[in-house]
């Protein structure tokens, strides 16, 4: 049930108080809270999967996997915190003999303050209530005010219950995590504009993400909004690869395009290739493979309606032809569709870069290498870009690859973008408009860095320094001491 602004104000006051209390806790206590949250989520019974299945239409197998991923996120971010990675502690020792004398300077990273998190509809566990944004903010030491996604309210409440149980068991204050249902866009924007909130984590549409960025920028004290938004994730088909295995590549591509009814921000929705006989073999196999796709229900009727509306809008653009489509779909389902357009049309029409969230792809057929280069240069920022190529294709297209790299946050060689590994080296975030800040990831333990800020201590007595900066290195973490990475004491 939606809460009133008065109730929201009370929750924000509790979050502010919790922030001060958590700041006094040891890092190990925070690590322990995160591990307890992982245990509580792991222990949730079948009612979690059943609720999510009912509310999102996602199959049980997928939800079971997503639950395991969510638990893993909490555990791996806890491990990262225990290892000191998000603290990035560094020490430059004093030198009294230098002229002028050099002071002792030590740097760590501290929590920003309470964070508002807006979960996504397409990952009810891993990117929602107990998802990566919440886990990163808690790891950073920030209380979380979670705005529940209206697409899965019961699932959200069950997950919130697990977090709240762990908060109580671990001796963390009320206000460490709050679950709020808000009745209007105005209330959601009020949350972001509230002075207690110091950062925002968001996953969803461009429209909503940009609205929140604008609200945050207009505050008296502007705050960062880490919005992970839409992307069409271009796939580049290179001639060497196509000549060698056009049919095989087409079949693999359709598998990635239609996975989860295409409801991934990393869905490969754009193909860029040069016109050739091998491309005709690719498109022929693609038509055959699309014909075999069994339609399935989308997350909710709103997303299905948006899919069919956005798809119609795109295929009715000048020069666009439908190449393959699953027509026999029931209400609420998303029929896989692939359309095709020339490179010259693509260059003159920005609407062809609009995300159609679902199993939709547009092939841009270019007449030569120059046109591929021009089309690539015109692309908006992307979460990912994929090269289906041979090593010789890569060697022969270095200038093009340079441009592709400037457009994306993850560049993939002979693999597919759907499937975002949770690890330190993952970057899930790309140049605008795929995300609002291309410097930070929302997946992998580096996601914690979004919610901390550097703090330097100068000539500070050892006994009053935070644990991670003390001479003895009691946390046994990696630190940069006088420019050398070490676990040694100072
Ligand atoms: P959404 O419309 O962006 O909503 C996400 C969250 O933001 C919801 O909690 C929503 O609350 C809130 N919100 C929406 N507009 C807002 C505004 N102007 N100001 C403040 N808060 C706002 O995303 P969705 O409902 O999950 O899916 C809709 C579309 O988003 C999809 O069709 C797809 O295009 C895209 N999408 C992208 C991703 C991705 O990973 N990039 C994931 C899922 C969806 P209320 O609903 O309560 O207003």
């Amino acid at each position: 049930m939606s809460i009133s602004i008065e109730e929201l104000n009370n929750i924000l006051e509790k979050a502010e108080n919790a922030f001060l209390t958590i700041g006094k806790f040891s890092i190990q206590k925070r690590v322990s809270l995160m591990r307890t949250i992982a245990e509580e989520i792991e222990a949730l019974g079948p009612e979690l999967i059943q609720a999510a299945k009912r509310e999102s239409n996602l199959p049980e197998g997928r939800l079971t996997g997503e639950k395991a991923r969510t638990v893993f996120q909490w555990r791996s971010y806890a491990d990262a915190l225990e290892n000191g990675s998000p603290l990035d502690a560094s020490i430059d020792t004093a030198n009294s003999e230098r002229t002028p004398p050099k002071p002792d300077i030590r740097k760590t990273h501290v929590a920003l303050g309470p964070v508002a998190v807006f979960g996504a509809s397409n990952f009810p566990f891993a990117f929602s209530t107990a998802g990566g944004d919440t886990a990163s903010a808690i790891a950073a030491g920030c209380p979380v005010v979670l705005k529940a996604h209206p697409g899965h309210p019961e699932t959200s409440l069950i997950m919130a219950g697990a977090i709240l149980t762990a908060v109580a068991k671990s001796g963390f204050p009320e206000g460490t995590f709050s679950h709020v249902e808000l009745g209007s866009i105005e209330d959601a924007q009020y949350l972001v504009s509230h002075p207690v909130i110091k950062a925002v984590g968001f996953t969803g549409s461009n429209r909503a993400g940009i609205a929140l960025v604008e609200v945050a920028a207009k505050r008296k004290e502007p705050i960062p909004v880490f919005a992970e938004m839409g992307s069409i994730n271009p796939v580049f088909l290179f001639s060497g690869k196509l000549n060698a295995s056009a049919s095989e590549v087409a079949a693999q591509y359709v598998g990635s395009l239609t996975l989860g009814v295409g409801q991934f921000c990393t869905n490969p929705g754009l193909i860029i290739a040069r016109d050739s006989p091998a491309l005709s073999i690719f498109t022929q196999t693609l038509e055959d493979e699309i014909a075999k796709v069994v339609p399935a229900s989308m997350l909710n009727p709103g997303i299905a309606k948006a899919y069919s509306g956005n798809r119609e809008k795109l295929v009715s653009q000048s020069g666009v032809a439908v190449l393959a489509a699953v027509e026999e779909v029931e209400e609420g389902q998303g029929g896989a569709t692939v359309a095709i357009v020339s490179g010259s049309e693509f260059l003159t029409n920005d609407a062809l870069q609009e995300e159609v969230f679902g199993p939709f792809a547009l092939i841009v057929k270019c007449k030569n290498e120059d046109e591929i280069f021009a089309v690539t240069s015109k692309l908006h920022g992307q979460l990912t870009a994929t090269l289906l190529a041979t090593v010789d294709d890569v060697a022969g297209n270095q200038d093009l690859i340079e441009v592709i790299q400037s457009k994306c946050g993850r560049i993939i060689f002979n693999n597919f973008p759907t499937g975002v590994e949770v690890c330190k080296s993952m970057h899930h975030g790309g140049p605008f408009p795929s995300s609002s800040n291309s410097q930070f990831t929302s997946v992998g333990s580096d996601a914690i860095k979004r919610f901390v800020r550097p703090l330097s201590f100068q000539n500070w007595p050892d006994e009053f320094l935070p644990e991670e900066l003390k001479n003895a290195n009691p946390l046994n973490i990696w630190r940069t001491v006088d420019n050398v990475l070490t676990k040694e004491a100072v």
Side-chain angles (χ1 to χ4, degrees), residues 70-82:
T70 307
V71 169
F72 177 76
Q73 271 179 172
W74 282 96
R75 293 208 166 115
S76 66
Y77 295 7
D79 291 349
L81 180 60
E82 191 169 50

Side-chain angles (χ1 to χ4, degrees), residues 118-122 147-150 185 188-189 202-205 207-208 211-212 228-230 265 303 306 355 357:
F118 288 68
S121 57
N122 56 340
K147 191 259 183 222
H149 196 289
I185 281 175
Q189 299 194 353
F202 169 90
T203 305
S205 64
R207 186 183 39 80
L212 295 180
E228 193 261 274
M229 303 177 283
C265 47
I303 293 223
E355 181 189 27
F357 189 72

Side-chain angles (χ1 to χ4, degrees), residues 80-388:
L81 180 60
E82 191 169 50
N83 296 334
S85 156
L87 305 172
D88 196 11
S90 59
I91 298 174
D92 286 279
T93 53
N95 180 357
S96 57
E97 281 161 28
R98 199 192 70 175
T99 315
K102 182 181 167 206
D104 181 286
I105 311 269
R106 303 181 182 215
K107 184 162 75 180
T108 184
H109 287 78
V110 296
L112 280 181
V115 173
V117 171
F118 288 68
S121 57
N122 56 340
F123 280 89
F125 305 155
F127 284 81
S128 190
T129 314
D133 285 351
T134 301
S136 325
I138 296 282
C142 300
V144 166
V145 180
L146 183 281
K147 191 259 183 222
H149 196 289
H152 47 261
E154 199 185 327
T155 308
S156 192
L157 269 176
I158 298 172
M159 277 295 195
I163 299 177
L164 289 170
T165 304
V167 164
K169 272 189 185 172
S170 309
F172 272 68
E174 200 189 349
T176 300
F177 173 85
S178 311
H179 179 265
V180 300
E181 289 179 38
L182 300 176
S184 69
I185 281 175
E186 290 71 29
D187 287 2
Q189 299 194 353
Y190 175 83
L191 169 64
V192 171
S193 65
H194 198 283
V196 160
I197 295 297
K198 298 298 180 205
V200 178
F202 169 90
T203 305
S205 64
N206 279 78
R207 186 183 39 80
I210 290 167
L212 295 180
V213 168
E214 284 170 0
V215 170
K218 282 190 192 132
R219 289 169 42 129
K220 199 167 172 192
E221 177 198 359
I223 53 166
V225 175
F226 300 100
E228 193 261 274
M229 303 177 283
S231 188
I232 52 174
N233 304 295
V235 173
F236 292 83
L237 297 181
F238 284 87
S239 56
K241 184 74 179 177
L242 269 193
N243 289 336
S245 50
S247 290
E248 192 187 322
V249 163
Q252 290 168 349
Y253 171 77
V254 171
S256 177
L257 177 73
T258 57
L259 189 73
V261 204
Q263 299 166 114
F264 295 118
C265 47
T266 51
N267 200 48
L270 190 74
I271 293 178
I272 298 170
R274 185 179 174 168
D275 193 8
S276 70
L279 181 63
S280 302
I281 297 171
F282 176 90
T283 53
Q284 184 54 59
T285 312
L286 194 136
E287 281 179 50
D288 298 345
E289 292 295 323
I290 290 283
K292 291 186 216 158
V293 175
V294 180
S297 293
M298 298 193 80
L299 290 160
N300 57 55
I303 293 223
K305 194 165 165 239
Y307 174 63
S308 80
N310 293 334
R311 183 183 54 180
E312 288 325 306
K313 197 170 151 202
L314 205 139
V315 299
S316 63
Q317 299 292 313
S318 161
V320 177
V322 173
L323 187 73
V326 177
E327 303 287 3
E328 298 296 309
V329 295
E330 291 169 17
E331 209 176 315
Q333 293 183 327
T337 306
V338 178
I340 190 159
V341 72
S342 69
S344 55
E345 285 283 358
F346 187 85
L347 285 169
T348 58
N349 187 354
D350 244 20
L352 298 176
Q353 293 202 50
E354 291 292 318
E355 181 189 27
V356 178
F357 189 72
F360 176 85
L362 179 67
I363 300 176
V364 184
K365 187 161 74 173
C366 298
K367 60 177 185 285
N368 54 33
E369 309 302 333
D370 286 348
E371 196 166 82
I372 291 182
F373 195 89
V375 162
T376 307
S377 303
K378 200 167 186 288
L379 287 178
H380 302 158
Q382 306 290 335
L383 291 170
T384 73
T386 298
L387 274 57
L388 299 177

